Amino acid sequence: MKMLLNPTSEFHPLMATTTTSLYVEIDRNKLIPFSFSSLSACPCRPVVLPSKSTIFSRPISKFGQLGLFLDGPKAKGSFWFSRKGVSAHRRFATAVAQAQPDRLDDDNAEQEVDKDQTTSMSENTASEHQQKASQLKKRIVFGLGIGISVGGVVLAGGWIFTVALAAAVFVGAREYFELVRSRGITAGMTPPPRYVSRVCSVISALMPILTLYFGHIDVSVTSAAFVVAMALLLQRGSPRFAQLSSTMFGLFYCGYLPCFWVKLRCGLAAPALNTDYLITLCLKGIGASWPILLGGPTHWTVGLVATLISIGSIIAADTFAFMGGKTFGRTPLISVSPKKTWEGTIIGLVGCIATSVLLSRIFCWPKSLLSAIAFGFLNFVGSVFGDLTESMIKRDAGVKDSGSLIPGHGGLLDRVDSYLFTGALAYSFVKIFLPLYGV
């Protein structure tokens, strides 16, 4: 390798003007970079040059001399100039001796940083795995507890079922109005006053009780909507349509829709079809020995059987959709819920219909296979749109969960969103669709 060093007055301020050229040919050398400021280091320090290092110097004028330092297998050429009378060799060697430890320190620092980053990433990964395992354990434990409790309440029926539903409605309504008042939604609208939100939560909780007592809810809902609208219009300041619309939707979403579960469970008191066959063969004597205080064999009404099939189908739809989406999910379903996929939705539909047909064979209701398939399809549609509706509300609110009431599950609305629309569809199916076909 040849390097041409042709110093001029423009090359460096320290260099004198000269026309002398210097050719240096070096093979298999590696240059250690240095700065000119390092040349002023204290010459008193001992100099230890790296192995295979070479310093070339040559007088090029009466003012001073030019030098070249190289080290290692590759020569890339760095040069220096010193005035006459100054020990350039010593200063340059000192600068090089100081540059080498600096570079080693930088390399060691980079290695330490990489090591720390790798260790930190490993610790974060282990922590995430532990957190996911703990969350899954909580979901399973609390899910089983909720399932057993809900099963007992559904079997009890009557006022026990209604009061438990009213308590759940009150909590869900509070969560809804807190979402409406969150920063994400209030950035584009004016939320209703807090006292109106609390009154609406109480009204929503009373709706299921009034439904059981009167047998219908139409007049009560209309009266409640009128009172809330007047309260909003007469408030201080300027009333907003966004306040009225969000409040009315809250009454409908959290109060009116759950009332159909009361009408389905408690309003359809006719005995289930083939009740005797159900008791003797399907339940293997459990129905026959059902306590008289809890209704005896006649306790197995159309409303109870339809409620159990509907709840079982919704649970199956959520479970199959989750497992199918995790395993085969590739195509996003909708933007408001990015984790849902078409593959998971189709698998959830199949699982929901299969569960509906299976439970219809166990409870011997409905008798027609086509009716069981249609009932499962309606349950799936209601569960999906209920879930997507709540996802839209949470997305606008900018939150992941509606609350933190249930460990591992989030808020109550996160658990019951699939049931809100399903009750109305199931009741309409049993009350209107089945009689049209003589079932």
Side-chain angles (χ1 to χ4, degrees):
M1 173 180 173
K2 292 184 179 181
M3 299 184 62
L4 173 62
L5 306 180
N6 186 16
T8 63
S9 59
E10 298 178 355
F11 177 75
H12 193 275
L14 296 178
M15 291 187 177
T17 304
T18 180
T19 57
T20 305
S21 298
L22 173 65
Y23 284 89
V24 181
E25 182 173 354
I26 303 296
D27 291 331
R28 301 179 62 81
N29 289 283
K30 181 179 180 181
L31 175 68
I32 297 179
F34 70 97
S35 61
F36 280 101
S37 61
S38 300
L39 296 176
S40 61
C42 177
C44 301
R45 297 181 182 178
V47 178
V48 180
L49 293 178
S51 60
K52 298 183 181 180
S53 61
T54 308
I55 298 179
F56 299 91
S57 64
R58 177 180 178 181
I60 57 175
S61 69
K62 63 180 181 180
F63 297 103
Q65 60 184 4
L66 181 68
L68 177 67
F69 178 85
L70 302 106
D71 176 57
K74 295 182 181 180
K76 296 185 180 179
S78 288
F79 41 85
W80 48 272
F81 177 81
S82 64
R83 295 179 182 273
K84 190 173 182 180
V86 179
S87 179
H89 292 280
R90 190 173 182 182
R91 293 194 179 188
F92 184 76
T94 304
V96 173
Q98 290 179 348
Q100 177 72 4
D102 291 342
R103 187 179 67 174
L104 293 177
D105 291 341
D106 293 340
D107 293 341
N108 293 333
E110 291 179 359
Q111 293 178 0
E112 291 294 333
V113 170
D114 294 338
K115 184 178 180 180
D116 293 341
Q117 291 179 350
T118 303
T119 304
S120 179
M121 291 177 61
S122 301
E123 293 177 353
N124 292 337
T125 303
S127 178
E128 289 178 0
H129 286 306
Q130 293 178 356
Q131 186 177 4
K132 289 182 179 180
S134 177
Q135 187 175 8
L136 179 61
K137 183 178 180 180
K138 288 182 180 180
R139 289 176 66 91
I140 294 175
V141 172
F142 282 91
L144 290 175
I146 293 173
I148 294 173
S149 301
V150 171
V153 169
V154 171
L155 288 175
W159 284 103
I160 296 177
F161 176 80
T162 305
V163 172
L165 181 63
V169 166
F170 177 77
V171 176
R174 291 298 303 271
E175 291 182 354
Y176 166 79
F177 284 105
E178 287 299 324
L179 289 176
V180 172
R181 297 184 62 86
S182 64
R183 294 181 179 180
I185 295 181
T186 55
M189 61 163 284
T190 302
R194 189 172 295 274
Y195 74 90
V196 174
S197 302
R198 293 173 179 173
V199 170
C200 289
S201 299
V202 175
I203 293 175
S204 298
L206 292 176
M207 286 185 182
I209 299 176
L210 296 175
T211 301
L212 180 65
Y213 185 79
F214 293 107
H216 56 81
I217 194 62
D218 302 335
V219 177
S220 301
V221 171
T222 305
S223 302
F226 174 77
V227 172
V228 171
M230 292 300 297
L232 290 173
L233 291 174
L234 297 177
Q235 67 175 319
R236 294 181 180 180
S238 301
R240 301 291 183 181
F241 177 73
Q243 296 176 327
L244 181 63
S245 59
S246 60
T247 303
M248 292 303 166
F249 181 77
L251 291 174
F252 169 78
Y253 185 68
C254 301
Y256 181 71
L257 290 177
C259 293
F260 283 95
W261 284 106
V262 177
K263 300 176 75 171
L264 177 67
R265 172 63 185 90
C266 305
L268 302 178
L273 298 179
N274 301 322
T275 302
D276 295 335
Y277 179 74
L278 167 70
I279 295 173
T280 56
L281 296 181
C282 298
L283 296 182
K284 298 180 181 181
I286 295 178
S289 60
W290 192 258
I292 300 297
L293 294 177
L294 298 179
T298 59
H299 178 77
W300 296 92
T301 61
V302 172
L304 173 59
V305 173
T307 302
L308 292 175
I309 294 176
S310 183
I311 293 177
S313 300
I314 295 172
I315 295 175
D318 291 341
T319 304
F320 278 91
F322 175 78
M323 296 176 61
K326 284 287 186 181
T327 306
F328 305 104
R330 295 294 183 274
T331 309
L333 178 64
I334 192 170
S335 60
V336 298
S337 187
K339 292 185 178 181
K340 289 183 174 57
T341 60
W342 278 106
E343 292 81 1
T345 302
I346 294 174
I347 294 175
L349 173 61
V350 175
C352 183
I353 294 177
T355 303
S356 178
V357 173
L358 177 63
L359 292 178
S360 69
R361 297 301 94 188
I362 293 176
F363 293 117
C364 303
W365 183 95
K367 187 176 181 180
S368 170
L369 176 62
L370 181 62
S371 299
I373 294 175
F375 192 50
F377 179 78
L378 283 178
N379 287 323
F380 177 77
V381 172
S383 66
V384 169
F385 279 93
D387 193 354
L388 293 178
T389 300
E390 205 238 350
S391 297
M392 179 181 62
I393 297 173
K394 291 190 298 183
R395 189 177 183 85
D396 285 349
V399 297
K400 180 181 178 181
D401 298 322
S402 62
S404 58
L405 178 65
I406 308 174
H409 293 264
L412 185 65
L413 279 180
D414 296 320
R415 293 299 91 204
V416 303
D417 52 1
S418 300
Y419 299 84
L420 293 176
F421 290 99
T422 310
L425 294 177
Y427 178 79
S428 301
F429 176 83
V430 177
K431 191 70 174 180
I432 300 175
F433 179 78
L434 291 182
L436 292 178
Y437 291 88
V439 179

